[in-house]
Amino acid sequence: SLDIFRGLTLAAMILVNNPGSWAHMYAPLKHAEWFGLTPTDLVYPFFLFIVGVAVKLSLDNYLLRAAPRAKLIGRILRRTFLLFALGLLLNLFSNFNLSTLRIPGVLQRIAICYCAASFIYLAVARRVDERVEASWKPLALIALFLLAIYYVLMTFVPVPGYGAGLIASQEGNLAAYIDRFVFGAHLWQYSKTWDPEGLLSTLPALATTLTGVLTAWWLKSLRPKDAIFKGMIFAGVTGTLLGFASSFIMPLCKKLWTPSFVLVTSGFALILLGLIYYYADIKEKSWGSKPFLVFGSNAITAYVLSSLGAAMMWKISLPIDGRLMSLKEIVYGHFINPLLGD
């Protein structure tokens, strides 16, 4: 069920990242401008949630085999480095300029959250006979602490020249100020004043990842599968409702990864994974799941290849109608658009 969910999420990520034209998109396939939530805004937090689930499932296998902690730590650090380096290479491929190379990014945030969540889980997990035991309480408390400290910082710490709590301002909020201070020109190329995968907002993103670890704890508990499914749906609905309620205190905002955004998206992730779990693991159905299993089993490869492919479509140019046109413009403008419209 996790591989199917991962594959579905990755397919959605590729879809929303590669429209024919950014000027002509269906509303559900767009991100919210700042505050608010669209189906597209669920994709990235789903991926971090999935990383959290996989952290426990993967590390438990090593702990059950009594793998040395030093070996586990080395494996975590190596994977973190590779993910972060891949993210930098994708940024460099899109804009080959070291002076403005974007340092944050999608894979970079995944790498940091994976690393932190892995070390947090290792700190509370231990092998007991033929099982791995880990209390859920420290994981939940750390996630709640991350959300609370982020809310306090974003609300009460003043930003030079702007003041405190200006989360409606793309430039005047604390997260944007820290990004400018730390990264300088090495930010998202469409803004240069803030970054959607910035430094401070990685704290609540880690909380999203920890909700995935907590979900894996529930999935691995010694309970009947029906009870596990019902618990996931109940927790998902509760989290979603709490998230919408808390949005009156701090609005839903993917760009800032607000606490309300964490609760709502983690709630939806729990519900969707629960439904897939019911279909694939309880009812043992497989119809329609094969494409998503393929994507889900090769997620990083598929993401990297899709990103490189999209960049190549813009970089490869051919002489058409007396001027050089990118392959993307040719395919969209000369074939797809005339056939299907904007």
Side-chain angles (χ1 to χ4, degrees):
S1 58
L2 183 66
D3 279 339
I4 294 171
F5 186 29
R6 186 190 289 115
L8 178 65
T9 301
L10 183 65
M13 183 178 286
I14 293 172
L15 174 68
V16 300
N17 284 348
N18 297 281
S21 166
W22 291 102
H24 305 292
M25 297 173 65
Y26 290 106
L29 299 182
K30 296 180 181 179
H31 288 291
E33 288 294 330
W34 193 251
F35 293 151
L37 188 73
T38 73
T40 297
D41 293 321
L42 299 175
V43 174
Y44 191 23
F46 278 11
F47 215 93
L48 285 176
F49 174 89
I50 290 164
V51 168
V53 179
V55 160
K56 174 173 170 55
L57 300 183
S58 174
L59 291 181
D60 279 4
N61 290 331
Y62 286 93
L63 292 172
L64 287 172
R65 296 201 299 265
R69 288 286 172 130
K71 183 179 180 181
L72 269 178
I73 291 171
R75 181 180 182 275
I76 292 166
L77 292 176
R78 183 170 64 252
R79 186 172 179 81
T80 299
F81 173 80
L82 289 173
L83 283 171
F84 201 97
L86 272 174
L88 286 178
L89 286 174
L90 287 178
N91 289 351
L92 190 61
F93 189 82
S94 299
N95 179 29
F96 196 83
N97 186 343
L98 290 177
S99 65
T100 58
L101 170 66
R102 183 191 178 199
I103 295 176
V106 171
L107 288 181
Q108 293 91 314
R109 173 168 283 181
I110 290 174
I112 293 169
C113 290
Y114 159 77
C115 184
S118 296
F119 283 134
I120 290 169
Y121 181 69
L122 279 181
V124 301
R126 59 192 180 93
R127 179 184 173 182
V128 179
D129 298 326
E130 297 304 315
R131 283 182 51 78
V132 175
E133 291 189 356
S135 174
W136 62 271
K137 292 179 182 178
L139 300 172
L141 287 173
I142 291 171
L144 289 172
F145 173 78
L146 290 170
L147 296 182
I149 195 68
Y150 183 70
Y151 170 78
V152 170
L153 291 173
M154 291 292 289
T155 304
F156 299 109
V157 175
V159 176
Y162 292 93
L166 295 179
I167 63 170
S169 168
Q170 294 187 0
E171 298 181 10
N173 66 81
L174 181 64
Y177 173 75
I178 290 175
D179 288 341
R180 291 194 300 272
F181 181 79
V182 174
F183 297 118
H186 300 278
L187 293 171
W188 188 45
Q189 60 180 324
Y190 299 106
S191 170
K192 293 303 182 187
T193 57
W194 59 275
D195 198 291
E197 280 79 49
L199 201 60
L200 186 60
S201 59
T202 299
L203 293 178
L206 174 56
T208 298
T209 311
L210 290 176
T211 64
V213 180
L214 287 164
T215 301
W217 174 87
W218 179 252
L219 281 167
K220 296 275 282 185
S221 63
L222 298 176
R223 291 175 174 83
K225 286 186 175 181
D226 281 346
I228 290 174
F229 163 68
K230 291 175 183 177
M232 292 173 71
I233 299 300
F234 176 78
V237 171
T238 302
T240 303
L241 293 176
L242 285 173
F244 280 120
S246 65
S247 68
F248 291 99
I249 300 172
M250 181 173 277
L252 295 162
C253 182
K254 175 188 177 293
K255 271 78 171 182
L256 294 177
W257 217 277
T258 53
S260 58
F261 179 78
V262 172
L263 292 172
V264 169
T265 54
S266 293
F268 278 132
L270 263 165
I271 294 169
L272 185 52
L273 179 58
L275 294 173
I276 296 171
Y277 176 77
Y278 181 81
Y279 178 79
D281 288 323
I282 295 179
K283 293 300 183 181
E284 297 183 346
K285 304 289 186 181
S286 61
W287 185 87
S289 64
K290 184 65 175 178
F292 302 120
L293 280 171
V294 173
F295 268 113
S297 302
N298 304 277
I300 298 300
T301 302
Y303 176 78
V304 170
L305 289 179
S306 72
S307 299
L308 290 176
M312 289 297 293
M313 290 280 284
W314 283 110
K315 290 183 178 295
I316 296 174
S317 299
L318 299 172
I320 301 289
D321 298 333
R323 71 180 184 92
L324 283 177
M325 294 182 66
S326 71
L327 195 57
K328 176 72 176 280
E329 292 176 292
I330 294 170
V331 172
Y332 176 73
H334 285 69
F335 295 99
I336 297 176
N337 185 261
L339 182 64
L340 299 175
D342 291 337

